[in-house]
Amino acid sequence: MQRPQHLFAFLALAALVAGCDQSIQPLIGEDRPYTLWGFLDANADTQRVRVFTIEERLGTDRSGPIDAVVTSTDLATSEVTRWTGEEVTFIDSSTGHVFYAAFRAEFEHSYRLDVRRSDGATSSASVTIPPPVSVELVDARNRIVVPVFIHGRPPNLVDVSVLYDAVTLPPANPWPPGTPASPGHELAVSVPYSGLEEPTDDGWYFEVDLRADFAVVQDTYTLNCLSPDHIGLRRIRFRFLAADDQWAPPGDSFDPNLLIEPGTFSNVENGFGFFGGGYTVSESWVPTEVVQRSVGFRTSGPCPLMPLDTPECQVPPEPCFRDTGD
């Protein structure tokens, strides 16, 4: 099944559920039919929700057909949409039942999702899509500290981060001299910015500090056994999920070992789990070469095309050894 890249929040939720601690105790006498995970995305043409039947354990899934009919109702127009279900395989090779419907959720509309079993037992959730927002980057290409204004106030900003689409640049003079240069290694690094916002009259304000973030990028490259001194930059992306007022798990964490327990957090009526409403927002830019070099990124190989008698170009690189635990 095609899964759009911008649904990072839904995929994160699905991955969390797929990796739940299997030590959770069996349910006794539980008559609620389903656990639901997903959200309506106003930026997506296709909506998705993962559905679990509640049998012996919460958060487990069985292969084969599932006894469920999924519908959604736009409460502003009374339009009812029936969703199609299929069994899918996730990145970690686990399987699950995902229902999808081809429609775009409208800003500021409320929706009710109903998942009905053949005996009539139903789990439901109601959500409201937040109003639209806009993102303003102030002279981003020419700044090391970039002011970011979010105009509009969604109830929640979730997973605010700055993604550095980076790549290692191999030296122009590989060691030993004459050996082929190794290809570059792509490694995008996400730096969290949640909780760093400041309120404004019409929204929120962030300061993206490229120099401070570059230290995080270097540390990540080092941990992945890649040179922290030969990092090039393709683009920077500021992104977040604008979410409804129900997107408020305990401790601000979607920890499945908390959310799966009865009585903790759920906006699902006669069921468990979470079904929210929102949309992803993303703005990207590429700083000038002057700014990139000032921050620490390479804009070309670390050595000139012609060999020079400089320490950086003549000393062999230090090897990077992974800790194998032996």
Side-chain angles (χ1 to χ4, degrees):
M1 179 178 66
Q2 185 72 19
R3 292 190 285 273
Q5 294 296 321
H6 64 272
L7 291 180
F8 63 92
F10 172 76
L11 294 180
L13 288 175
L16 283 174
V17 176
C20 286
D21 185 351
Q22 295 302 312
S23 65
I24 295 172
Q25 296 300 312
L27 296 173
I28 299 177
E30 181 54 62
D31 58 358
R32 282 175 276 194
Y34 301 106
T35 296
L36 313 178
W37 289 96
F39 74 102
L40 290 182
D41 189 342
N43 284 343
D45 293 324
T46 300
Q47 311 300 327
R48 292 174 174 82
V49 61
R50 188 171 179 184
V51 177
F52 301 81
T53 56
I54 299 177
E55 299 178 15
E56 295 178 350
R57 294 178 184 270
L58 292 170
T60 59
D61 215 333
R62 293 183 176 182
S63 60
I66 183 173
D67 180 12
V69 174
V70 178
T71 60
S72 61
T73 303
D74 184 334
L75 300 181
T77 65
S78 299
E79 180 181 2
V80 177
T81 302
R82 179 160 177 164
W83 297 39
T84 301
E86 65 179 337
E87 187 175 356
V88 301
T89 301
F90 295 100
I91 297 174
D92 64 353
S93 299
S94 65
T95 60
H97 295 92
V98 173
F99 286 77
Y100 63 93
F103 71 94
R104 184 177 288 267
E106 299 291 338
F107 294 115
E108 301 182 84
H109 281 214
S110 295
Y111 295 84
R112 187 184 70 248
L113 184 83
D114 295 308
V115 184
R116 182 173 290 103
R117 202 166 56 194
S118 57
D119 63 0
T122 303
S123 297
S124 303
S126 297
V127 300
T128 299
I129 306 299
V133 302
S134 62
V135 177
E136 177 188 0
L137 304 173
V138 180
D139 195 23
R141 282 180 47 80
N142 298 301
R143 290 177 178 260
I144 292 176
V145 178
V146 179
V148 179
F149 290 91
I150 298 174
H151 300 294
R153 282 184 177 270
N156 281 299
L157 300 181
V158 181
D159 290 335
V160 184
S161 63
V162 178
L163 182 71
Y164 291 84
D165 185 3
V167 60
T168 58
L169 294 176
N173 295 339
W175 190 271
T179 59
S182 61
H185 294 274
E186 299 179 16
L187 180 63
V189 178
S190 181
V191 180
Y193 269 74
S194 290
L196 300 181
E197 66 273 12
E198 299 177 12
T200 64
D201 290 340
D202 70 338
W204 307 100
Y205 171 76
F206 289 85
E207 284 189 348
V208 176
D209 189 332
L210 305 190
R211 185 168 284 135
D213 290 355
F214 182 68
V216 178
V217 174
Q218 285 187 302
D219 288 344
T220 304
Y221 269 63
T222 299
L223 289 173
N224 284 272
C225 213
L226 298 172
S227 171
D229 301 319
H230 302 158
I231 303 174
L233 179 66
R234 288 178 170 155
R235 68 174 57 85
I236 303 172
R237 180 173 289 115
F238 180 87
R239 63 185 188 178
F240 62 91
L241 178 73
D244 61 3
D245 56 2
Q246 299 190 61
W247 206 294
D252 293 327
S253 173
F254 279 94
D255 181 349
N257 295 323
L258 290 175
L259 302 182
I260 206 169
E261 292 287 359
T264 53
F265 168 79
S266 176
N267 70 336
V268 178
E269 298 177 16
N270 196 36
F272 296 99
F274 174 78
F275 187 75
Y279 54 93
T280 53
V281 180
S282 178
E283 293 288 339
S284 62
W285 74 97
V286 179
T288 64
E289 290 193 7
V290 172
V291 170
Q292 292 185 46
R293 287 194 296 268
S294 177
V295 168
F297 288 104
R298 299 284 187 176
T299 56
S300 62
C303 301
L305 294 179
M306 296 299 294
L308 293 179
D309 188 15
T310 60
E312 186 178 25
C313 295
Q314 298 300 323
V315 176
E318 295 182 4
C320 181
F321 298 100
R322 292 188 181 274
D323 183 6
T324 61
D326 294 336

